[in-house]
Amino acid sequence: MYFAVWKSSLVLATLVISSRSCEPCRRSKLRCDHVVPACGRCVRRRCVDQCVYHPNPLTQGRRKEGAAPLTPLTSTHDEDSIIVDSVETSSLESPTTPAAQPPPLRTTEVVTREVHRAASAPPLHLRDESASRTGMQGFLGETSVISIFVDGINNFRVPSPDVESPHVPKIRVSHDRIAQGCKVLSFLKDKHMLNRLVSRWYEVCEDEGCICIEPIMKDWLWGLGVHHGDVLRDQNPEKIRKLCELLWRNTQTPITFDENTTAKQWARASTGPNIRWEVIGLIAAVAGQCANIPDPSNLFNKKKNAAAHPSFLRQMNDIAETCLSFCRDCEAMGDMFTWLLMETYCLIAMIKGESHHATYTLSGEIISSVVAMGFHQEIKMNGRVPFFLEEIRKRFFAQTYCGEIGIATFLGRPPRLSHRYCNFDPPLDLSVSQIVLEGDALAMALAGLDDKGFNTAGRVHRVTWMKTWLRFAPEREDILDLALGQYSREEILHRAEAIQKRSDQHLAGLPTFIKKIRDEPIETEGRSPTDILFMTVIRQAFRANDLLLQRVLIRKAGASSEKLIHVARSILKDILLMSQRHDLGTLFQTDIASLLAVQGLRSAAVIAVELLKQEQLPVYPKEPLLPRSQTIQDLAVFAARLGAIDPSDGSFGICDQGRKAITHILDRILSPSNRPDQLQATRKPPTQQDRNAQLSPESLDIPTNDIAQNCNFPMLSAMSGMDFTMPDLNFGIEAPFLGPDNDFMQWLENMDWERPAQ
């Protein structure tokens, strides 16, 4: 890290040293902005005639008094950059200059000044980077310098990342970035389609999306339509450009709030005349996530819906990522930026899958933002956070941590966020409409919770799943630590016992309706599709921990596989039942595909490989752990489910590989090899005595009576010369059985699927 900082500083210093300043700035040893024909400092000092850029300033001789000034360099006519100044543009003029000041700017205006930069000037983004090194640093922990002052001075308070300095710095934005922003705003032209998509998304998700809640999104869309609806509809280039410049200025301005700020006030502080790039990106991300959800009003419409095309989803993703880059340029660090990161992550996961490197990288930025905002230690921080925002922050942290542990387990990688350095503050089990309440209405909603913060009505919201899973995710992390760490057999057994004990304690503290979800069949009567989906996810989360722990014990401690097979069969049974529901597959296509790829494929892989091992036993057991016929049927149905995944879905790649692997194993089991050379190589030919023993009436379960004994059966005579001995089945498949999920994924990648079954 230190080497990287030193290296970047060296490159920056080299660029600055190699650039040439104008003569007045060079002689005064002042910083020059390299603007031609005259830099800003010379303009303020009224010495424009002396602002020249000498090509080799160190080689020029002394100028004699009265000598004619040097001819200024010819303008490069670089049209690639403009300066977008903040509301404090008047500060460009020197306070001692007696020149008349320009009229004050309105709050919705942004001054732009087209300039030409000297050819020797450093790139704009490097100059902006060096100018912003003193920006906000985010959360500072126990080993930071600030902690020394906090410990030594009782009244010393660390500035919160919520409230930054009111000073609005200047941003320098190139023409390309302005044009890019104008292109982004073009997608808002059809506001009716966007409103329909957003409303449909929150209707399906019951007011709660990934992290952005419906009441705030509605206020954003309302303010955008009232204040900028005509501009967005007409797409007038000049007006769109001004709106784009307004967005740049607002995005660099932090939003201030206190404990009395309502959700409506907070939302309207970032829409209308205060519209920001974070809001534009969130609208695109939410609309993109709804692209795959069918609209009931268009089911019988022959005209193709443009939003249902895969290109629309990718277009929304590009817009959301562009808005993210704009926010990074403005050094936006706040709740809206973290929301945009999370919603964009969900959109990318829909397109590329959760195991894709782009998705994994963005999740790393989400974790970095969580730590920078201090959510891993204290949600409320300075006590000035309103209730609704405090609850959303708790949900955001819970979703970030649980999602990281889940993807780390699936990929077999170390987690980038550990419970050892976090203070868990679970969110309250309130609906979206309840967390935005105020006063007595909010007090009544809080009174409807139990002492653990769960609702007493037995409803299963998204936050119910977060709150439940946040209790068991640390156990999943400890299981992952056992799988990846270097421990002795005794340590593994001791730690596994401790994990199981903590899990049982947490389970005992859950409300009754959560325990029923884990232990009893899921009751779907009177439940909405959203409730059924989250009940299934909660149920599989418990069992996944058991399955992963058993795999670690088998691999590293030599445990038996009976419990592993039992858990895997129960998971696969639930996944097959859930995948048969048409309503879930239609409304939550991506979620169902993700469950098939993660929970379903993990359990099916265990069952398929164990069945293959069972078929290879020299003596087939009378009571096998896996019933052969039923297991083959279940695996065949599951492979068909994997084959039905849409190729445009992000989980299609891993699902298709899993389908090929399961089909390959079934082909080996149902079509074994019977070549003569293999029979000779695997088993000694039987004798005539063995053949007679195999064809005896006792061995064939033929009733022994006088008629059967006196009759001559020609078929038995013909069969007496046949070899009924079974060869030693060895299909040449080295299948990983006890390793983590990434072992199975690597095996899928290396398997030769084109090799014909022998």
Side-chain angles (χ1 to χ4, degrees):
M1 179 185 70
Y2 296 106
F3 175 74
V5 173
W6 171 81
K7 182 177 179 182
S8 61
S9 302
L10 180 61
V11 173
L12 180 62
T14 304
L15 289 173
V16 173
I17 292 173
S18 61
S19 61
R20 295 186 295 274
S21 302
C22 69
E23 287 300 293
C25 293
R26 186 184 66 82
R27 290 195 298 268
S28 302
K29 293 181 174 56
L30 298 174
R31 182 174 180 178
C32 182
D33 58 12
H34 306 280
V35 174
V36 293
C39 69
R41 193 179 300 278
C42 290
V43 170
R44 294 194 297 270
R45 293 190 172 189
R46 301 302 182 92
C47 56
V48 177
D49 55 339
Q50 301 177 18
C51 185
V52 294
Y53 295 88
H54 196 282
N56 295 298
L58 299 181
T59 61
Q60 60 178 333
R62 286 186 180 274
R63 292 172 45 193
K64 298 181 180 179
E65 269 186 58
L70 294 173
T71 305
L73 291 176
T74 305
S75 171
T76 60
H77 297 284
D78 182 10
E79 302 291 341
D80 292 338
S81 62
I82 66 172
I83 299 178
V84 179
D85 296 330
S86 69
V87 70
E88 299 177 355
T89 310
S90 58
S91 63
L92 290 175
E93 297 292 339
S94 174
T96 58
T97 305
Q101 298 290 332
L105 299 176
R106 294 178 301 180
T107 58
T108 59
E109 292 181 347
V110 178
V111 175
T112 61
R113 180 165 62 96
E114 186 172 348
V115 298
H116 305 288
R117 293 172 45 75
S120 61
L124 274 174
H125 67 276
L126 286 179
R127 297 179 67 245
D128 292 340
E129 180 183 353
S130 63
S132 62
R133 290 180 184 273
T134 59
M136 189 187 62
Q137 297 172 333
F139 176 82
L140 299 174
E142 293 295 332
T143 58
S144 65
V145 176
I146 292 297
S147 65
I148 301 176
F149 294 102
V150 174
D151 295 338
I153 307 175
N154 294 331
N155 296 327
F156 188 85
R157 296 191 62 84
V158 181
S160 170
D162 298 325
V163 184
E164 301 176 24
S165 171
H167 175 71
V168 184
K170 295 185 298 182
I171 357 173
R172 298 181 180 274
V173 186
S174 65
H175 278 291
D176 290 341
R177 298 297 265 175
I178 292 291
Q180 196 175 7
C182 295
K183 184 178 179 180
V184 166
L185 294 178
S186 63
F187 93 97
L188 295 170
K189 181 177 182 179
D190 191 354
K191 70 175 183 178
H192 298 291
M193 181 189 70
L194 292 175
N195 290 335
R196 186 176 66 252
L197 287 173
V198 172
S199 299
R200 176 62 178 159
W201 174 251
Y202 286 110
E203 177 186 354
V204 171
C205 299
E206 299 182 358
D207 301 343
E208 188 173 14
C210 184
I211 194 65
C212 183
I213 61 177
E214 184 185 23
I216 291 178
M217 176 60 73
K218 281 186 174 180
D219 281 329
W220 284 342
L221 291 173
W222 173 85
L224 188 63
V226 169
H227 291 83
H228 310 292
D230 296 338
V231 175
L232 296 172
R233 183 188 67 247
D234 299 337
Q235 291 290 311
N236 180 276
E238 185 62 28
K239 293 181 179 179
I240 286 291
R241 187 181 182 86
K242 290 183 178 179
L243 177 58
C244 181
E245 294 164 355
L246 176 65
L247 280 158
W248 278 100
R249 189 189 65 200
N250 289 339
T251 304
Q252 67 170 331
T253 307
I255 298 177
T256 58
F257 52 84
D258 55 29
E259 64 276 11
N260 298 319
T261 303
T262 64
K264 185 176 292 294
Q265 293 172 344
W266 189 83
R268 296 194 176 183
S270 53
T271 188
N274 303 312
I275 190 67
R276 306 167 66 90
W277 281 123
E278 297 102 316
V279 175
I280 303 298
L282 283 166
I283 294 174
V286 171
Q289 293 178 66
C290 187
N292 291 335
I293 298 179
D295 191 346
S297 61
N298 293 334
L299 290 179
F300 303 100
N301 189 1
K302 296 182 179 180
K303 185 178 179 181
K304 183 67 175 177
N305 185 11
H309 197 274
S311 62
F312 176 81
L313 191 146
R314 299 181 185 278
Q315 178 189 2
M316 295 298 102
N317 177 62
D318 292 340
I319 291 173
E321 288 187 320
T322 302
C323 292
L324 270 177
S325 67
F326 291 165
C327 296
R328 295 186 188 105
D329 292 344
C330 295
E331 296 185 350
M333 176 65 73
D335 293 278
M336 290 185 189
F337 178 69
T338 58
W339 292 15
L340 180 55
L341 284 172
M342 182 64 75
E343 296 287 354
T344 306
Y345 169 85
C346 296
L347 188 56
I348 294 179
M350 293 176 64
I351 300 174
K352 300 181 179 180
E354 293 182 339
S355 60
H356 195 275
H357 182 68
T359 314
Y360 188 75
T361 302
L362 187 58
S363 65
E365 186 173 2
I366 295 176
I367 295 171
S368 300
S369 299
V370 165
V371 175
M373 294 284 289
F375 294 170
H376 66 301
Q377 288 293 323
E378 187 179 5
I379 296 295
K380 207 160 185 177
M381 294 181 185
N382 55 6
R384 300 177 56 187
V385 181
F387 175 78
F388 79 92
L389 193 56
E390 177 185 351
E391 285 302 309
I392 294 178
R393 287 182 174 185
K394 293 178 182 179
R395 300 182 183 197
F396 187 88
F397 171 76
Q399 187 166 343
T400 301
Y401 173 72
C402 297
E404 171 60 18
I405 299 304
I407 194 63
T409 306
F410 182 65
L411 298 177
R413 300 175 181 176
R416 295 164 293 182
L417 187 64
S418 175
H419 70 86
R420 296 170 178 83
Y421 312 111
C422 299
N423 294 329
F424 287 174
D425 191 1
L428 298 175
D429 192 8
L430 297 172
S431 64
V432 170
S433 58
Q434 290 175 323
I435 65 173
V436 297
L437 295 176
E438 306 170 27
D440 296 337
L442 177 60
M444 290 181 61
L446 294 175
L449 302 177
D450 62 12
D451 56 346
K452 299 288 182 62
F454 284 96
N455 74 86
T456 55
R459 290 293 309 273
V460 182
H461 308 286
R462 184 184 184 90
V463 67
T464 310
W465 161 68
M466 293 182 190
K467 187 177 181 65
T468 304
W469 181 222
L470 189 61
R471 286 170 165 261
F472 291 87
E475 274 70 48
R476 174 77 66 86
E477 181 185 344
D478 292 338
I479 296 172
L480 180 61
D481 179 61
L482 285 181
L484 302 181
Q486 303 295 327
Y487 297 104
S488 64
R489 183 179 183 276
E490 291 72 18
E491 289 177 325
I492 290 176
L493 293 175
H494 177 72
R495 290 173 180 265
E497 183 181 358
I499 291 172
Q500 189 64 52
K501 184 177 180 180
R502 290 197 303 270
S503 181
D504 294 340
Q505 291 176 351
H506 291 161
L507 182 62
L510 291 176
T512 305
F513 74 96
I514 298 293
K515 295 179 183 178
K516 291 179 62 177
I517 292 175
R518 178 186 182 272
D519 300 328
E520 301 178 7
I522 296 178
E523 299 178 359
T524 59
E525 187 68 26
R527 295 281 187 175
S528 66
T530 306
D531 288 348
I532 298 174
L533 175 65
F534 286 123
M535 291 169 70
T536 304
V537 172
I538 292 174
R539 182 182 179 91
Q540 300 313 316
F542 290 128
R543 297 184 174 181
N545 277 11
D546 295 337
L547 185 143
L548 292 169
L549 182 58
Q550 289 304 311
R551 293 182 69 193
V552 173
L553 292 175
I554 293 173
R555 181 186 181 188
K556 294 189 173 184
S560 60
S561 59
E562 285 82 359
K563 186 175 181 179
L564 174 71
I565 295 175
H566 175 73
V567 175
R569 290 189 64 192
S570 63
I571 293 176
L572 184 61
K573 181 181 178 181
D574 287 345
I575 295 297
L576 290 176
L577 290 175
M578 182 198 60
S579 62
Q580 295 176 358
R581 295 186 59 96
H582 178 72
D583 53 351
L584 292 179
T586 302
L587 297 177
F588 305 106
Q589 176 181 343
T590 302
D591 299 282
I592 298 301
S594 179
L595 280 173
L596 289 173
V598 180
Q599 307 288 5
L601 190 54
R602 179 189 289 144
S603 59
V606 170
I607 294 174
V609 174
E610 184 65 17
L611 180 63
L612 182 62
K613 290 178 176 290
Q614 180 175 287
E615 292 291 316
Q616 292 177 333
L617 293 175
V619 179
Y620 202 83
K622 293 182 179 180
E623 296 181 0
L625 293 175
L626 290 171
R628 187 174 189 273
S629 176
Q630 185 62 46
T631 304
I632 291 176
Q633 294 179 46
D634 291 342
L635 290 176
V637 172
F638 182 74
R641 297 281 191 272
L642 295 178
I645 299 298
D646 193 332
S648 63
D649 193 278
S651 301
F652 173 77
I654 183 63
C655 289
D656 189 56
Q657 290 178 340
R659 178 189 62 82
K660 291 179 180 179
I662 294 173
T663 304
H664 193 74
I665 292 176
L666 291 178
D667 289 342
R668 294 290 185 180
I669 294 174
L670 297 176
S671 303
S673 174
N674 292 318
R675 292 186 303 178
D677 57 341
Q678 288 187 350
L679 296 180
Q680 296 292 335
T682 57
R683 191 176 297 270
K684 184 173 66 175
T687 63
Q688 184 64 32
Q689 184 178 2
D690 296 332
R691 295 193 185 98
N692 295 335
Q694 291 174 355
L695 297 178
S696 63
E698 292 80 2
S699 64
L700 295 176
D701 292 333
I702 298 177
T704 58
N705 50 43
D706 296 339
I707 298 177
Q709 291 175 354
N710 297 328
C711 292
N712 183 16
F713 292 95
M715 181 171 291
L716 291 179
S717 301
M719 293 172 62
S720 62
M722 298 178 62
D723 184 6
F724 283 84
T725 57
M726 294 297 293
D728 186 10
L729 301 180
N730 183 6
F731 303 117
I733 298 181
E734 295 295 335
F737 171 56
L738 304 177
D741 291 343
N742 61 321
D743 292 343
F744 180 68
M745 296 173 64
Q746 291 174 2
W747 178 65
L748 294 179
E749 294 286 352
N750 299 327
M751 174 61 68
D752 184 9
W753 304 111
E754 303 300 329
R755 185 179 63 182
Q758 299 175 350

